Amino acid sequence: MKLITYPNLEVEQKMIGAFFKIILNSWKHNKLITILIVLSVSVSLTFLTITVSSIKSQINNIEYFTLTKTITFKKNILTSELEKLKMKWKNEHLIGLASITANPRKLPIEYNGKISNYYVSPYDPEQFQMDGRTDIDLKNNEVYISVQLASKLLGSDINVENPKIIINNKAYIIKYIDKEAVGDFITLNYKDAPFKNVESNHVQLVTTNDQAISVIMNDLKPYKPVLDDLETSTKNDAHKLITFLVVVAVLLLVIALINFIQLYRYKLSLDENKWYVLTLLGANKKAIQMYIYLECLGLCLIAFLLSSFEYALFNQFIDLTVLKQTFNLSIFIILNIVAILIIMIVVSFFMKKFKMKFNF
């Protein structure tokens, strides 16, 4: 009668512990190649995260412009009248948000006795919400300006908290300085504009009801409204960019896999004597596979941690506004886990061909 034996858990634990010691010794004796493997994977994961997060950003843009309708007027309308219409549309549940943008005017701006002329844009606070800027809420006598203009107006006082400026003989507090914006602009609540008869030539609407647009366009008919084609062109551009980024992401993943396999194969060849010793000591195919899996997993986890550190450096020292703040923690974690699993799968296929002058 043949007895069926089961592996002893304690023996398995001791084996894994022994493998970790062998792995650490191997890394110690092959420092350069080990560092190259980890750096190669971590850099690839960092750029792969940026690329995939950029794809998500473009998808969000498509969703935004699918919901957002932009209307301009050939004949200007008083914002007070447009505000009444906006409340009507909201009461009828035709829209969720609406932004009124009035014509910018060039006005004298005074600070510390120095006067210069710059454009002032009356802005609807809801526009900031539509742009995802919930941190901005312009109240009476508050303005929002670019850091470029702030440096011109304030000079060495740019770090002064809530500096006061005079716009067309009316006092305002600089409440928000956008450090990422370019251009000379001053924005304030259109209800608090320093001039009378504020006229609007632009409105953005958030609505999921296509029939609502025909009602809104009819309400605006006296002002000769035009529905902009910005949505279609922006969505098309986003689709093209997504296609490009998907190709880049696939190439980055392929490059990461090729680099890992080539460098790791070279590292295994450096440990050839170790494999002979292990086989002489009775190591079988299963044991060697476990060793390789553990080492690959260890290298990938170190690369994962290093990748997160690399991205922290990106955020700290590199302006990512061109990437539209692409970093997303959930994407970073999921993508790294998926990449590690793919590497492990590829390694399992690679091991079938792994014969280093001996059979196991």
Side-chain angles (χ1 to χ4, degrees):
M1 179 177 178
K2 187 176 180 180
L3 295 176
I4 300 175
T5 58
Y6 294 93
N8 188 302
L9 180 61
E10 186 177 349
V11 173
E12 292 284 347
Q13 290 175 344
K14 288 181 179 180
M15 183 184 296
I16 293 174
F19 281 163
F20 274 120
K21 290 181 180 179
I22 297 173
I23 289 171
L24 291 175
N25 287 331
S26 175
W27 290 354
K28 183 178 179 181
H29 292 116
N30 301 292
K31 292 179 183 177
L32 181 59
I33 191 65
T34 302
I35 291 172
L36 286 175
I37 292 173
V38 171
L39 286 178
S40 174
V41 175
S42 66
V43 170
S44 296
L45 289 176
T46 298
F47 283 102
L48 187 60
T49 302
I50 293 174
T51 303
V52 175
S53 298
S54 298
I55 293 173
K56 184 177 183 299
S57 177
Q58 292 305 314
I59 292 173
N60 291 340
N61 282 343
I62 291 174
E63 293 176 352
Y64 174 82
F65 282 102
T66 298
L67 297 176
T68 304
K69 310 297 180 183
T70 303
I71 302 172
T72 56
F73 316 119
K74 293 183 179 179
K75 181 181 178 181
N76 286 332
I77 175 176
L78 292 177
T79 54
S80 57
E81 293 297 321
L82 190 53
E83 190 174 23
K84 293 177 183 177
L85 287 173
K86 186 170 83 168
M87 292 304 300
K88 170 182 176 291
W89 299 331
K90 284 190 174 184
N91 291 334
E92 294 176 1
H93 305 290
L94 299 176
I95 60 172
L97 291 171
S99 165
I100 302 169
T101 304
N103 287 320
R105 297 191 187 182
K106 203 167 190 177
L107 298 173
I109 314 297
E110 179 181 349
Y111 179 75
N112 280 349
K114 182 181 178 181
I115 301 176
S116 302
N117 293 321
Y118 293 103
Y119 279 101
V120 177
S121 299
Y123 222 58
D124 193 327
E126 286 191 15
Q127 181 64 51
F128 293 112
Q129 298 178 40
M130 293 170 68
D131 292 340
R133 297 297 302 271
T134 54
D135 56 316
I136 298 177
D137 181 21
L138 290 176
K139 297 181 173 58
N140 288 340
N141 302 324
E142 293 181 350
V143 298
Y144 160 77
I145 72 174
S146 66
V147 68
Q148 182 174 319
L149 181 55
S151 62
K152 292 180 181 180
L153 284 176
L154 308 178
S156 59
D157 293 340
I158 192 170
N159 294 319
V160 173
E161 186 176 358
N162 297 332
K164 293 183 179 179
I165 59 174
I166 307 297
I167 304 178
N168 205 23
N169 299 318
K170 185 175 180 179
Y172 290 86
I173 293 174
I174 298 179
K175 187 67 175 179
Y176 304 95
I177 298 178
D178 195 332
K179 295 182 179 180
E180 297 177 351
V182 294
D184 296 339
F185 70 81
I186 298 179
T187 298
L188 44 74
N189 193 321
Y190 70 88
K191 297 179 182 180
D192 191 36
F195 47 85
K196 296 181 180 179
N197 299 325
V198 180
E199 294 177 322
S200 176
N201 64 340
H202 181 94
V203 63
Q204 280 187 286
L205 310 168
V206 174
T207 177
T208 55
N209 184 358
D210 292 335
Q211 294 180 347
I213 292 298
S214 60
V215 175
I216 292 169
M217 294 292 281
N218 187 62
D219 288 342
L220 294 170
K221 191 174 181 179
Y223 309 101
K224 300 180 180 180
V226 177
L227 188 62
D228 287 353
D229 197 31
L230 180 64
E231 174 192 339
T232 302
S233 61
T234 303
K235 286 170 65 176
N236 289 339
D237 290 342
H239 280 299
K240 291 178 182 177
L241 185 55
I242 287 173
T243 302
F244 171 75
L245 290 173
V246 168
V247 173
V248 171
V250 172
L251 288 175
L252 285 170
L253 185 56
V254 170
I255 291 171
L257 291 172
I258 292 174
N259 285 342
F260 183 88
I261 294 301
Q262 292 299 324
L263 291 171
Y264 190 59
R265 283 181 63 183
Y266 177 67
K267 182 184 178 301
L268 291 178
S269 67
L270 294 176
D271 290 332
E272 187 172 343
N273 292 333
K274 176 183 67 181
W275 299 111
Y276 278 118
V277 172
L278 286 175
T279 53
L280 289 174
L281 292 175
N284 56 20
K285 180 180 178 180
K286 180 181 178 182
I288 292 177
Q289 284 179 337
M290 185 182 294
Y291 172 90
I292 293 176
Y293 282 137
L294 286 174
E295 183 170 34
C296 289
L297 183 60
L299 291 169
C300 289
L301 289 177
I302 294 172
F304 170 79
L305 295 174
L306 184 58
S307 179
S308 62
F309 176 71
E310 288 170 359
Y311 202 93
L313 291 179
F314 266 81
N315 271 335
Q316 187 70 27
F317 299 111
I318 297 177
D319 182 7
L320 287 179
T321 54
V322 294
L323 298 175
K324 298 183 180 180
Q325 300 300 329
T326 56
F327 182 69
N328 183 291
L329 182 59
S330 59
I331 286 179
F332 175 75
I333 295 174
I334 293 172
L335 189 61
N336 277 270
I337 292 173
V338 170
I340 289 172
L341 289 175
I342 292 175
I343 288 175
M344 299 298 290
I345 292 171
V346 171
V347 167
S348 68
F349 283 107
F350 157 71
M351 280 197 306
K352 293 179 180 179
K353 300 180 179 181
F354 178 59
K355 294 181 179 181
M356 303 185 67
K357 300 180 182 179
F358 53 83
N359 295 319
F360 51 79

